[in-house]
Amino acid sequence: MNYALDNWSDILHRAWQHTLLAGIPLVLGLLIALPLGWLAHSRPRWRNVLVAGSGLLYTIPSLALFIVMPIILGTKILSAWNVIAAMTIYTVALLVRTVTDALDAVPSTVTQAATAMGMTRLKRLFKVDLPLATPVISSGMRVAAVSNVSIVSVASLIGVPQLGYYLTNGYQRQYWDEIFVGIVACLVLALVFDAVIQLIARLLTPWQRVVTR
């Protein structure tokens, strides 16, 4: 407790760094996964390639990916962009299947009615399919957010500043208060991400609040 009180400004600073490293890839990953998931949903022949292929990306060890990224991107080893790029890959790996399943779950009667009303496929996607798929997509986003917060902490092994620093530094010094602060801070940050995603999902699906009353 004393360690947290004595270092609260540094903890907040590293929490913000951790938030950016985990949050930016979450947004970028969703933007990439949406069209890929839609293609997998609307083109059955591409489904296995897109879903299985993206899923394989998650099997790449995080530390190895963090180290390889500077070679691919031409950045310095301590650049935050290495972590952001790597975490975007992991986010896409988790969300492509989620988006595909979410669009599959939209009732065919609804999509047929939208088509009968004269909606183009693209207009139906944004006006009907994605809004109805939002609850499932948000569930996948929650899983990806927690995963991102956890994996980002591994980047402390190569010196990228964030909350994982307290885990590695505390372990090296056998300072358990510091390790405890790192664990609790990561847990709190994951809970914050989860709460924000749930709030956004509720705002995007006002009809669900009406149904549950």
Side-chain angles (χ1 to χ4, degrees), residues 19-208:
T19 299
L20 295 177
L21 293 175
I24 293 175
L26 197 62
V27 175
L28 295 177
L30 177 63
L31 293 177
I32 296 172
L34 283 174
L36 292 178
W38 177 74
L39 283 174
H41 163 72
S42 59
R43 301 287 189 274
R45 288 181 295 180
W46 296 7
R47 185 186 184 97
N48 290 337
V49 174
L50 291 171
V51 173
S54 61
L56 285 175
L57 296 173
Y58 202 74
T59 64
I60 303 173
S62 57
L63 185 57
L65 193 56
F66 291 150
I67 294 173
V68 169
M69 273 301 162
I71 301 174
I72 298 174
L73 300 177
T75 54
K76 296 181 179 179
I77 187 68
L78 295 181
S79 173
W81 289 109
N82 300 326
V83 179
I84 290 173
M87 296 311 304
T88 300
I89 291 173
Y90 286 134
T91 303
V92 170
L94 289 174
L95 291 184
V96 169
R97 180 181 290 276
T98 296
V99 173
T100 304
D101 292 341
L103 293 175
D104 288 345
V106 177
S108 59
T109 52
V110 175
T111 57
Q112 290 170 3
T115 302
M117 292 173 61
M119 287 189 179
T120 63
R121 178 175 291 185
L122 190 61
K123 186 176 181 180
R124 192 190 73 197
L125 173 66
F126 288 102
K127 293 288 188 179
V128 179
D129 295 350
L130 283 180
L132 293 178
T134 294
V136 177
I137 294 175
S138 68
S139 297
M141 288 283 287
R142 293 169 65 189
V143 173
V146 173
S147 175
N148 282 10
V149 171
S150 175
I151 297 176
V152 162
S153 61
V154 177
S156 61
L157 293 173
I158 58 174
V160 177
Q162 28 78 20
L163 292 174
Y165 164 82
Y166 300 115
L167 303 177
T168 55
N169 191 62
Y171 179 78
Q172 291 170 355
R173 299 167 57 198
Q174 293 294 294
Y175 190 11
W176 300 109
D177 287 352
E178 188 174 10
I179 294 174
F180 180 74
V181 165
I183 294 172
V184 172
C186 287
L187 176 60
V188 170
L189 184 59
L191 291 174
V192 170
F193 267 101
D194 187 79
V196 170
I197 292 171
Q198 289 191 70
L199 176 60
I200 293 174
R202 284 175 60 84
L203 293 175
L204 293 176
T205 55
W207 59 87
Q208 285 201 319

